[in-house]
Amino acid sequence: MYYNFNHYINLGANLEKDGCSFAIYAKNVNSLSLNIFHSSEDTVPYEKHILSPSEHKLGDIWSIFLENIKEGTLYNWEINGMAILDPYALAYTGNETIENKKSIVLARVGTETKHILIPKKDMIIYESHIGLFTKSSSSNTLNGATYSAFEEKIPYLKNLGINVVEFLPIFEWDDFTGNLDRESFFLKNVWGYNPINFFALTKKYSSSKDENSANEINEFKKLIFSLHKNGIEVILDVVYNHTAEGGTGGKVYNFKAMGENIFYTKDRENYFTNFSGCGNTLNCNHKVVKDMIIQSLLYWYLEVGVDGFRFDLAPVLGRDSNNQWARHSLLHELIEHPILSHAKLIAESWDLGGYFVGAMPSGWCEWNGAYRDTVRQFIRGDFGQVPELIKRIFGSVDIFHANKNGYQSSINFICCHDGFTMWDLVSYNLKHNILNGENNQDGENNNHSYNHGEEGFTENPHIISLRKQQIKNMILILYISQGIPMLLMGDEMGRTQLGNNNAYCQDNPTTWVDWDRKKDFEDVFLFTKNMINLRKSYSIFKKETPLIEGEEVILHGIKLYQPDLSFHSLSIAFQLKDIKSNTDFYIAFNSYTEQLCFELPILENKSWYILTDTSKVDTCNFQETKCQDTHCCVLPKSSVILISK
């Protein structure tokens, strides 16, 4: 028997000069066939090719070469009489049901765009959802909730100062998820954390209405090209920890039929383990699965042109087939990979089995949950947070001391897609998730939030002003902190989800960005924009080497050199010296309910100027005002930045 080994090595559908080779991994199957269709609506193929083990099987790989197959051909596999989608397909038809959905044969085409390679210290991340960003009519885009509509918003991102966008998942996913009958609730998964494939780009954001084409790929590549042209990198939020097939009784898209015990981890009783919270756990360190994930990442990085990846529930990629933390895992291999190690690799370092922030292999960047919680608690006015706040602002060295990335190990964020928006964080004491259909049982209960006097909507001008002030306090901390800052879409304009902190199933105005809010939050937008610009302008806020205590940073309290680190302290100040520009900064935070006056350091041949004060709207433009006193009085629940001139 003569084998063309390339047909077995290259899984999926691979076009050649005179036809196409089709290959799939399938373990312990009784029958396997390839079906070719005229239309996505067809249920009966016009060609059915039954594969035999003697002619078409090498090891656990089945392959067949068909002549005269052209790009755009629709097909599916059939294993033991069950139709499945090719997990290596680059595109599917748009049909929602598995019965009609087909894989599409596509040529492998690269991209014209080049990676920008922004240094990690200079990254300003904006976490965004492609569809929700422009779905509201207030976005004033030609074709909202599409890749092209997002492209229209690039000038907005540039104006804000963003140079990295992090997109929520765009792998094709199943709309319906969870333990409830979502169809009966008319609720769909809008976030996308429910993949059926790791190569196919979703059609949900395509401007094209052709269900049988793959126009979405060129549209997305054009978006990436335009973002790169404007100096903005693209990071994909990728979900390799589970699939939409769920556990026992869940749907079968592909992997369960191909080899359930290969692609998923099981417990001793042979039940699906659930470290993802979504019914199953991908067996990421099995050779077959690991190779698939690496090929997927290479496709997006090399052929589509994205610049990096944020790994949802990344510890799953560090677990072996018995769900134990592996000494050498896919997490290590990615950081050692000759190509992918040059991509931006970001971990969400927790899953249902544990919290591993700081425990990723050296070289990973990690979402810093401790940063989020500490900033929230300090701004709310919780006691005991000042020593922690100092650690978080100055790079969380206590957490990432072993990581070669240094300060850039930490992805600093206060809000993300999962949880309250920043406006809701200062507007609600409790989550309001009743519309999610789970009796308000879903979503995080411990949010460290505070409504400042009234729950949710209010017309009280004092409360509105205080909420805006608290947002500015958090934005200020975010952009003066060592590490890589990440802002949630719309937080710069007071985006609200009406208290829903788990709005993954709300594809409606609850989650759509309301661009009209920018008019009412122009001061917050301007403040955010100027804080980003300040960070970009001075190297002291984005150090690659450790800050030199006493030379580059000096801690103060109300009295010079006397920081109050006691349990009941709600204030801290410090002086930063940007050696490169010979500029000093004095930054003070006051989370008390009373005014505090801080003694200012004496400067040689210079004076202190107030750059911004979060309690005063007229300082959002960062116009420098000379400080005439030896003290700086900071109003309750506010922060100030002084600059030397």
Side-chain angles (χ1 to χ4, degrees):
M1 173 64 65
Y2 171 77
Y3 289 108
N4 184 330
F5 292 109
N6 286 329
H7 292 172
Y8 292 88
I9 294 172
N10 299 317
L11 298 179
N14 294 279
L15 285 168
E16 299 178 22
K17 184 178 180 180
D18 53 351
C20 183
S21 66
F22 297 84
I24 188 170
Y25 172 92
K27 185 84 169 175
N28 300 327
V29 299
N30 296 320
S31 65
L32 190 146
S33 60
L34 178 69
N35 301 318
I36 309 296
F37 298 88
H38 285 300
S39 166
S40 62
E41 300 300 327
D42 292 347
T43 56
V44 178
Y46 74 88
E47 287 184 17
K48 186 181 186 73
H49 301 272
I50 299 174
L51 280 68
S52 69
S54 60
E55 291 185 46
H56 303 105
K57 186 171 182 285
L58 183 60
D60 294 320
I61 307 295
W62 299 71
S63 176
I64 186 171
F65 179 82
L66 301 180
E67 295 181 347
N68 302 319
I69 294 292
K70 297 180 180 179
E71 188 169 32
T73 298
L74 306 183
Y75 70 100
N76 67 19
W77 290 98
E78 190 174 314
I79 296 179
N80 298 336
M82 179 180 295
I84 70 162
L85 295 171
D86 187 345
Y88 275 78
L90 304 184
Y92 295 137
T93 58
N95 312 73
E96 288 189 5
T97 61
I98 180 64
E99 291 75 22
N100 287 334
K101 211 173 188 69
K102 308 294 189 298
S103 306
I104 305 176
V105 173
L106 291 179
R108 300 293 289 260
V109 179
T111 176
E112 296 180 8
T113 190
K114 294 183 179 180
H115 298 297
I116 305 175
L117 302 177
I118 295 173
K120 290 178 182 176
K121 69 179 180 62
D122 295 324
M123 292 168 64
I124 308 288
I125 301 176
Y126 191 82
E127 191 198 31
S128 183
H129 184 287
I130 288 178
L132 303 179
F133 196 57
T134 59
K135 194 157 190 177
S136 168
S137 60
S138 63
S139 71
N140 292 319
T141 52
L142 293 176
N143 197 355
T146 61
Y147 302 113
S148 58
F150 196 96
E151 186 178 354
E152 292 182 53
K153 288 298 184 181
I154 291 176
Y156 171 83
L157 296 173
K158 284 190 68 177
N159 181 37
L160 184 58
I162 299 303
N163 61 17
V164 181
V165 289
E166 182 176 306
F167 290 137
L168 264 66
I170 57 173
F171 297 169
E172 189 59 276
W173 75 85
D174 187 339
D175 286 334
F176 299 105
T177 64
N179 299 319
L180 296 176
D181 179 9
R182 291 291 168 196
E183 287 87 341
S184 67
F185 282 91
F186 301 101
L187 298 176
K188 291 185 176 182
N189 182 318
V190 66
W191 282 356
Y193 292 89
N194 203 37
I196 61 177
N197 170 295
F198 305 122
F199 295 85
L201 178 70
T202 183
K203 280 181 162 55
K204 294 177 175 68
Y205 311 135
S206 175
S207 297
S208 172
K209 303 306 178 187
D210 186 350
E211 296 282 319
N212 297 326
S213 77
N215 295 326
E216 68 275 3
I217 297 177
N218 287 333
E219 187 177 354
F220 183 59
K221 285 183 177 180
K222 183 174 180 292
L223 168 59
I224 294 177
F225 183 87
S226 296
L227 286 164
H228 284 177
K229 186 178 178 181
N230 286 276
I232 300 174
E233 287 189 330
V234 177
I235 291 175
L236 295 187
D237 194 333
V238 290
V239 184
Y240 295 113
N241 58 77
H242 75 281
T243 76
E245 292 188 314
T248 303
K251 293 182 180 180
V252 178
Y253 275 108
N254 33 42
F255 301 119
K256 284 183 177 178
M258 292 161 60
E260 182 173 286
N261 294 325
I262 300 298
F263 288 93
Y264 300 110
T265 60
K266 300 284 193 68
D267 62 18
R268 292 180 179 178
E269 285 72 40
N270 204 37
Y271 291 112
F272 286 87
T273 57
N274 189 19
F275 287 90
S276 65
C278 299
N280 62 45
T281 304
L282 204 67
N283 191 10
C284 295
N285 285 292
H286 187 286
K287 174 63 175 173
V288 171
V289 184
K290 186 188 296 185
D291 286 350
M292 178 181 64
I293 293 173
I294 290 174
Q295 289 301 312
S296 166
L297 292 168
L298 287 170
Y299 169 70
W300 293 103
Y301 186 67
L302 296 177
E303 296 187 48
V304 182
V306 304
D307 303 282
F309 308 93
R310 178 267 186 187
F311 291 78
D312 181 61
L313 302 182
V316 170
L317 280 71
R319 296 183 181 278
D320 61 21
S321 296
N322 296 314
N323 297 299
Q324 298 299 306
W325 193 241
R327 180 170 295 179
H328 192 90
S329 67
L330 180 55
L331 295 174
H332 296 86
E333 290 193 29
L334 292 178
I335 216 67
E336 296 167 357
H337 194 279
I339 295 174
L340 293 172
S341 60
H342 293 272
K344 304 291 174 27
L345 300 177
I346 300 172
E348 179 188 40
S349 302
W350 52 86
D351 63 11
L352 266 63
Y355 187 79
F356 299 92
V357 176
M360 291 292 115
S362 180
W364 280 85
C365 300
E366 302 181 46
W367 273 24
N368 191 343
Y371 182 96
R372 171 199 61 206
D373 295 342
T374 299
V375 174
R376 288 184 177 194
Q377 290 175 88
F378 174 78
I379 292 301
R380 185 171 66 173
D382 292 7
F383 292 133
Q385 298 305 310
V386 170
E388 283 294 304
L389 183 68
I390 293 170
K391 294 176 185 176
R392 303 305 145 237
I393 289 176
F394 295 122
S396 296
V397 178
D398 59 318
I399 297 175
F400 302 110
H401 58 88
N403 196 316
K404 66 182 181 183
N405 281 334
Y407 288 147
Q408 278 67 56
S409 306
S410 178
I411 302 294
N412 298 330
F413 70 104
I414 300 165
C415 296
C416 65
H417 68 276
D418 189 1
F420 280 145
T421 66
M422 201 171 284
W423 181 252
D424 288 354
L425 188 65
V426 297
S427 302
Y428 293 90
N429 287 346
L430 305 170
K431 65 183 182 184
H432 294 262
N433 298 356
I434 195 68
L435 294 179
N436 294 352
E438 297 185 42
N439 296 317
N440 212 39
Q441 298 300 306
D442 63 309
E444 177 62 53
N445 292 315
N446 189 18
N447 297 285
H448 310 300
S449 62
Y450 179 48
N451 65 21
H452 295 87
E454 293 184 28
E455 186 75 354
F457 177 78
T458 182
E459 294 181 345
N460 186 316
H462 172 73
I463 293 177
I464 293 173
S465 177
L466 184 54
R467 288 175 178 176
K468 285 186 174 185
Q469 187 171 305
Q470 291 286 57
I471 285 181
K472 292 170 191 172
N473 290 331
M474 290 186 280
I475 294 292
L476 191 154
I477 292 174
L478 180 65
Y479 289 112
I480 59 96
S481 295
Q482 302 298 329
I484 300 172
M486 185 184 79
L487 184 70
L488 173 62
M489 70 171 185
D491 276 351
E492 74 282 3
M493 58 173 112
R495 175 172 167 260
T496 179
Q497 293 181 165
L498 305 177
N500 192 325
N501 76 347
N502 189 37
Y504 73 99
C505 55
Q506 301 294 330
D507 188 4
N508 52 56
T510 301
T511 53
W512 302 347
V513 172
D514 180 0
W515 291 83
D516 289 337
R517 285 180 74 86
K518 186 172 178 292
K519 301 166 189 172
D520 295 327
F521 288 84
E522 194 61 44
D523 58 321
V524 175
F525 175 85
L526 183 60
F527 182 85
T528 306
K529 174 182 175 180
N530 284 323
M531 278 304 308
I532 291 174
N533 184 60
L534 179 69
R535 180 183 182 85
K536 289 181 174 181
S537 301
Y538 294 94
S539 61
I540 190 65
F541 301 120
K542 45 184 181 176
K543 291 276 291 178
E544 289 187 293
T545 56
L547 285 163
I548 303 172
E549 191 172 349
E551 186 174 324
E552 292 180 301
V553 57
I554 303 171
L555 295 181
H556 299 295
I558 296 174
K559 297 289 186 181
L560 291 178
Y561 312 107
Q562 299 179 37
D564 185 356
L565 306 181
S566 67
F567 177 78
H568 291 100
S569 174
L570 291 172
S571 69
I572 188 65
F574 47 86
Q575 184 178 354
L576 297 175
K577 188 172 185 64
D578 187 69
I579 297 174
K580 188 174 181 180
S581 65
N582 192 28
T583 303
D584 286 86
F585 293 92
Y586 181 86
I587 302 174
F589 303 108
N590 177 16
S591 277
Y592 283 106
T593 55
E594 303 292 335
Q595 174 179 279
L596 294 176
C597 291
F598 293 80
E599 185 179 353
L600 292 175
I602 298 174
L603 299 172
E604 290 186 19
N605 303 318
K606 288 186 177 183
S607 299
W608 286 113
Y609 285 74
I610 298 174
L611 187 61
T612 190
D613 181 339
T614 60
S615 69
K616 297 178 173 60
V617 174
D618 59 358
T619 68
C620 289
N621 55 15
F622 285 42
Q623 295 293 320
E624 296 151 10
T625 305
K626 190 171 184 179
C627 187
Q628 305 291 347
D629 203 345
T630 58
H631 290 72
C632 178
C633 291
V634 183
L635 292 177
K637 304 292 183 182
S638 63
S639 314
V640 298
I641 301 179
L642 276 60
I643 187 171
S644 68
K645 291 286 181 179

